[in-house]
Amino acid sequence: MIQNYLLIALRTLRRRRGYAFINIAGLAVGMACCVLILLFVRDELGYDRHLPDAERLVRLQTAWGGFSLPSTNLPMLRAVEDAYPDLLVAPLLNWGGRVGYEPADGTPVQFQEDDLFMAEPSFFELFGFEMVEGTADVLAEPYQVIMSEGAARRYFGDADPLGKTIRLYNQIDATVAGIAADTPAQTHFNAEVIASWSTLQAATQWEDAPTTNNNGVYVYLRLPDGTAPADFDAQLATLIDERFPGDEWNGSTLTAQPVVDIHLHSTHNMELAANSDAAYVTLFLVIAGFILLVACVNFMNLATARSADRAREVGVRKAIGARRSQLVGQFLAESVVLTVVALVIAVALVAAVLPAFEVFAGRPLDVSLLDLPVIGGILGVALVTGVLAGSYPAVFLAGFRPAQVLRGAFRSSRQGATLRKGLVVFQFVVSAGLILATLVVYNQLQFLQSTSLGFDQERVVVVPAGTPGELSLTSFIDALESQPGVAHAAASSEPFPSELLDGTGTFFEVADPDAVDRWVPTRTISVGHGFFETVGVEMLHGRAFDRARPADSSGFVLNETAAQQLVELSEGRASTMADLIGMRIGSNGVGPLLGIVKDFNMSTLHEAIEPMVFSIDPSDYNHVVVRLDAGDPDAALASLRETWPQFFPDHLLEVTFADQGFAAQYAAEARLGRLFLAFSLLAVLVACLGLFGLASFTAEQRRKEIGVRKVLGARVPGLVALLSRETALLVAVGFALAVPLAWLGMSRWLDGFAYRTEIGVSTVALAGLVAVTVALATVSVQALRAATANPVDSLRSE
């Protein structure tokens, strides 16, 4: 029976090659899009799930209201280790910095190693990273380092890395004692160089310094089997109450975050790598479903539209005894044959475009088409597509009454025509919605990249300087400002852009600062003389720090937001921001308020401008900000490169343009825009394939009518308009339905930005123009062909 079904299906498809081509092409493109998106989603959902006992691994996270970190401090780490001696705990410090190496030829080389960690042997046990040479036990000893295979090749080429000595931070010599396999791509951080935790302690006595309260210790642990993270949270709260009574925990909360949730559900400051967003995964799954539905709708529409062609066949089969279930099986077999052929083409398409898709996605996907789950997913997509696409036509066609169709009285029903129109409208709801969403994403990206940040970011370069010391940094800046092409230079504790992690409260001077109960929460930034002039920030009131006035070292400058909030809690001491100038305020110390600058963004436009307080603190400087002259920036950069080694011969020079640094922070939006564009084009392509098939069918049905109209004097433009009018109306209805849905969805997406563009009428109009133009262009091809046909050919039989 099945063999008979398939044989008939193949014969039928061979007789209707054009119809088969349109259906197979639509289904193939639809399934290829769906499979690509499923590969992307599988890659996103697979982060950290390969780790041993992944469901039991957690990371401690600290939160203060709306501010949170994926880390804690050293006292908390020791408290956890003491309270839970049976738990496997792996602390991690990310102290990226310079790593030097002197090869045999005596020419020292340096690397800026952002993925440099301090860890204990438990790190490898907990994460299960494979050792290629040596053992993880070497991390129990100080001055020992394990490198990844990639880092070892980068540092030493083909030479044996074991036993080589590298210099960390230009001051700590350590021996390469082990080589680990490269960190798997689906891990929320990338470890290139791992030094033993005890190295830092032996070299700097770090654990004895006051900075141990800094929340820069990443703590991973494996929960006991059967213990949920929420249950462990309650234990942590009890532990804090017992070990840190009173206010020593500064009002923060400490909780356990499942490691498998980090990539899609973590938005802390100080993340070890950029994470993704679960909302995007859901969004792409919805898009995949819609594109597949659009492809299935093509099949349904064309099958039911051509029902009259199959009516007599159904009538004869029923007359000789075929049951309805057998006819349903026959038509489903045709659908399955089409789907199988489309599946083979879809898999070939996926294999061909996967490298380009990875470029669009911004990273390689750690999945293979040969993985069993992937193969199962592809077959599942094909099964769903075949049944979904073929079920309605099968039931519809098998329901014909033999007496009616054999008498030649069969006519396509009005309900069937209405359904086809509804399905066309649905296709263009999806297509127009995706077009509008694509335009909104690109508009927002343009908005982010073009909106003024409140300072002139062009020709501003940022140079990480580590902790070179006040004298050398001041001398370097003085020398730099004397170079041609350099307009200004100043020191800063923050780069551009910055996460602005340091904060404190700013308040009016009182006798006992500890008794202050009203203060403005502010971000603290240490800047050198000339900073505001260098970055081009407007001074609203007062003045900037003046090198000629030594007393300014105890003064402060506020931004507009901080000053306004300080006025609001002044209790009559100041009615305007200008009144604040000269008043003594407290922040990190107490001193006069020298000036108020206009608000400007040091972080990206994802975040609103926070209250900021600027002060002079040379011990906190670790960046140099340089403004280049407009004339010849290349010459100025050359001067910078020549000047740098005169003051920092052991430090690697890195130069980043501020505008490029901000643009890099919008990579996720750029990736989303590229993916939206690609899938919108494909959705429109699939919808237009179906539209092309329907237009061809309509033109064929109205062939004699067109012939009569031409004989009676109808002109080609009028006939084309007649045949295209219905399609234009359906597309317009689809677009009208798509606008509010896309508007609602994209407005929610835009709400995630502190600064956002608006979905203007021009954007909506452009999306509609694109949708209607593409649809009419598709239909017009068939309409023009029918309108220019010789009427003698169509009327000959009359």
Side-chain angles (χ1 to χ4, degrees):
M1 181 68 76
I2 293 177
Q3 183 181 3
N4 187 46
Y5 285 165
L6 295 176
L7 187 61
I8 295 175
L10 290 172
R11 288 174 178 170
T12 303
L13 295 177
R14 193 166 53 196
R15 285 200 303 270
R16 298 178 174 85
R17 291 189 178 88
Y19 161 76
F21 171 78
I22 290 175
N23 271 332
I24 290 173
L27 289 176
V29 173
M31 283 196 289
C33 288
C34 194
V35 170
L36 279 174
I37 291 177
L38 291 181
L39 290 177
F40 175 76
V41 170
R42 175 174 165 77
D43 181 75
E44 289 284 279
L45 296 178
Y47 268 70
D48 293 310
R49 294 191 180 276
H50 59 278
L51 301 177
D53 297 316
E55 298 297 332
R56 292 165 53 197
L57 299 186
V58 297
R59 179 177 71 178
L60 299 188
Q61 57 184 357
T62 312
W64 297 261
F67 182 80
S68 61
L69 295 174
S71 53
T72 182
N73 56 33
L74 188 62
M76 191 67 226
L77 164 66
R78 297 307 180 210
V80 170
E81 289 176 329
D82 183 54
Y84 303 98
D86 295 332
L87 288 186
L88 179 60
V89 180
L92 202 63
L93 283 175
N94 178 211
W95 279 17
R98 291 169 177 77
V99 178
Y101 166 61
E102 187 169 323
D105 62 7
T107 304
V109 293
Q110 285 202 339
F111 300 87
Q112 174 60 33
E113 197 62 75
D114 294 331
D115 298 318
L116 168 57
F117 294 91
M118 303 286 175
E120 296 178 346
S122 58
F123 170 81
F124 280 86
E125 183 178 355
L126 190 133
F127 284 98
F129 292 162
E130 180 186 353
M131 289 296 298
V132 178
E133 294 187 69
T135 68
D137 293 339
V138 298
L139 293 182
E141 300 296 327
Y143 305 111
Q144 304 294 305
V145 164
I146 293 176
M147 280 187 162
S148 70
E149 289 183 288
R153 282 193 299 271
R154 186 157 43 90
Y155 279 68
F156 308 110
D158 295 331
D160 184 3
L162 289 183
K164 295 285 194 303
T165 299
I166 60 176
R167 172 159 291 189
L168 310 176
Y169 319 117
N170 292 312
Q171 57 181 329
I172 304 174
D173 288 335
T175 302
V176 179
I179 302 298
D182 290 337
T183 307
Q186 289 177 298
T187 305
H188 68 278
F189 64 91
N190 179 40
E192 292 285 280
V193 179
I194 305 168
S196 57
W197 183 282
S198 54
T199 298
L200 199 61
Q201 176 64 11
T204 67
Q205 302 301 306
W206 172 76
E207 296 196 21
D208 304 323
T211 53
T212 54
N213 282 321
N214 291 345
N215 291 281
V217 182
Y218 299 80
V219 178
Y220 296 85
L221 51 91
R222 182 182 296 159
L223 295 178
D225 194 14
T227 301
D231 297 334
F232 192 66
D233 291 346
Q235 297 178 35
L236 288 174
T238 303
L239 180 66
I240 291 173
D241 291 340
E242 293 174 355
R243 301 296 179 95
F244 307 98
D247 296 330
E248 292 184 33
W249 201 244
N250 298 320
S252 66
T253 59
L254 185 71
T255 54
Q257 179 183 33
V259 168
V260 293
D261 287 349
I262 291 176
H263 180 65
L264 293 178
H265 301 279
S266 189
T267 56
H268 299 299
N269 294 81
M270 286 176 53
E271 288 286 359
L272 295 174
N275 290 325
S276 187
D277 191 331
Y280 288 162
V281 172
T282 304
L283 180 63
F284 283 120
L285 281 175
V286 171
I287 291 175
F290 276 140
I291 292 178
L292 200 58
L293 273 177
V294 168
C296 292
V297 164
N298 276 353
F299 186 93
M300 294 180 189
N301 258 345
L302 291 177
T304 55
R306 293 186 173 275
S307 57
D309 295 347
R310 309 293 299 272
R312 188 171 295 275
E313 174 192 340
V314 172
V316 170
R317 286 175 179 271
K318 281 195 168 184
I320 61 177
R323 294 190 300 275
R324 181 168 182 168
S325 60
Q326 292 175 314
L327 291 170
V328 169
Q330 172 60 50
F331 291 119
L332 277 177
E334 291 182 17
S335 171
V336 169
V337 169
L338 278 173
T339 305
V340 170
V341 175
L343 174 65
V344 174
I345 298 174
V347 171
L349 281 175
V350 169
V353 304
L354 189 56
F357 180 77
E358 291 177 337
V359 173
F360 265 58
R363 68 167 194 274
L365 304 184
D366 192 19
V367 293
S368 168
L369 287 173
L370 300 179
D371 290 345
L372 283 179
V374 173
I375 293 175
I378 292 174
L379 293 178
V381 168
L383 180 64
V384 170
T385 304
V387 173
L388 190 62
S391 55
Y392 176 74
V395 173
F396 178 78
L397 295 174
F400 291 163
R401 295 178 179 175
Q404 185 181 17
V405 296
L406 291 177
R407 282 202 309 268
F410 172 78
R411 293 288 185 276
S412 296
S413 67
R414 179 174 294 179
Q415 292 83 356
T418 302
L419 176 63
R420 285 196 296 278
K421 293 176 183 176
L423 292 176
V424 170
V425 169
F426 167 77
Q427 287 183 310
F428 277 88
V429 168
V430 175
S431 302
L434 285 174
I435 293 172
L436 181 55
T438 302
L439 292 175
V440 171
V441 171
Y442 269 87
N443 284 348
Q444 176 65 9
L445 191 58
Q446 283 293 114
F447 176 83
L448 294 174
Q449 294 176 337
S450 61
T451 299
S452 171
L453 298 173
F455 72 99
D456 184 5
Q457 54 180 319
E458 289 191 15
R459 306 189 314 282
V460 170
V461 299
V462 181
V463 181
T467 52
E470 179 182 3
L471 290 179
S472 57
L473 196 60
T474 303
S475 302
F476 169 67
I477 291 172
D478 290 342
L480 201 58
E481 288 188 315
S482 65
Q483 297 293 324
V486 176
H488 302 287
S492 170
S493 62
E494 301 293 336
F496 287 92
S498 168
E499 288 188 285
L500 296 177
L501 297 175
D502 294 333
T504 186
T506 297
F507 49 86
F508 289 101
E509 181 184 27
V510 293
D512 181 8
D514 293 336
V516 172
D517 59 357
R518 298 191 67 194
W519 41 269
V520 177
T522 45
R523 295 292 163 202
T524 58
I525 301 101
S526 300
V527 298
H529 298 97
F531 174 81
F532 300 114
E533 187 178 8
T534 300
V535 297
V537 176
E538 180 183 349
M539 186 66 65
L540 291 179
H541 304 285
R543 60 178 177 81
F545 300 110
D546 189 345
R547 185 176 295 181
R549 302 182 185 188
D552 281 2
S553 59
S554 61
F556 301 98
V557 171
L558 296 179
N559 72 341
E560 196 177 351
T561 299
Q564 187 58 49
Q565 293 186 19
L566 201 58
V567 168
E568 291 171 3
L569 58 78
S570 66
E571 297 181 337
R573 279 178 282 191
S575 56
T576 66
M577 289 190 286
D579 296 338
L580 296 173
I581 301 301
M583 289 185 174
R584 293 181 64 79
I585 61 174
S587 184
N588 288 329
V590 177
L593 178 61
L594 304 176
I596 298 170
V597 294
K598 191 173 182 178
D599 279 341
F600 67 104
N601 284 82
M602 293 191 73
S603 55
T604 65
L605 296 180
H606 294 95
E607 308 292 336
I609 294 177
E610 295 187 84
M612 291 189 279
V613 57
F614 302 89
S615 61
I616 290 182
D617 182 2
S619 66
D620 203 23
Y621 299 154
N622 49 35
H623 290 81
V624 176
V625 184
V626 184
R627 176 170 294 283
L628 308 179
D629 279 334
D632 189 357
D634 291 336
L637 288 176
S639 298
L640 174 60
R641 293 191 177 94
E642 290 177 4
T643 306
W644 178 265
Q646 299 173 22
F647 294 88
F648 310 108
D650 298 328
H651 289 68
L652 188 67
L653 173 65
E654 287 181 89
V655 177
T656 305
F657 278 86
D659 53 354
Q660 295 174 356
F662 277 99
Q665 297 299 309
Y666 303 128
E669 287 74 26
R671 182 183 67 177
L672 181 66
R674 292 193 298 270
L675 291 174
F676 256 122
L677 176 62
F679 291 126
S680 298
L681 292 176
L682 292 172
V684 171
L685 172 64
V686 174
C688 286
L689 275 173
L691 212 52
F692 184 84
L694 278 181
S696 174
F697 171 75
T698 303
E700 186 180 322
Q701 292 292 95
R702 302 179 70 174
R703 186 163 166 257
K704 290 180 180 176
E705 176 195 345
I706 294 169
V708 171
R709 286 178 180 272
K710 288 193 75 174
V711 168
L712 294 177
R715 302 177 67 83
V716 171
L719 291 173
V720 171
L722 175 69
L723 293 173
S724 306
R725 187 179 304 150
E726 183 177 278
T727 300
L729 180 62
L730 295 178
V731 174
V733 172
F735 177 71
L737 295 174
V739 169
L741 297 174
W743 188 300
L744 182 63
M746 296 315 293
S747 293
R748 291 188 63 182
W749 178 72
L750 289 171
D751 287 342
F753 296 86
Y755 304 91
R756 48 166 284 185
T757 185
E758 297 299 328
I759 306 176
V761 175
S762 59
T763 303
V764 176
L766 180 58
L769 181 64
V770 171
V772 172
T773 301
V774 172
L776 287 182
T778 304
V779 174
S780 296
V781 173
Q782 286 294 347
L784 187 62
R785 184 178 174 189
T788 56
N790 188 345
V792 175
D793 296 335
S794 57
L795 298 177
R796 182 177 296 157
S797 62
E798 299 295 322

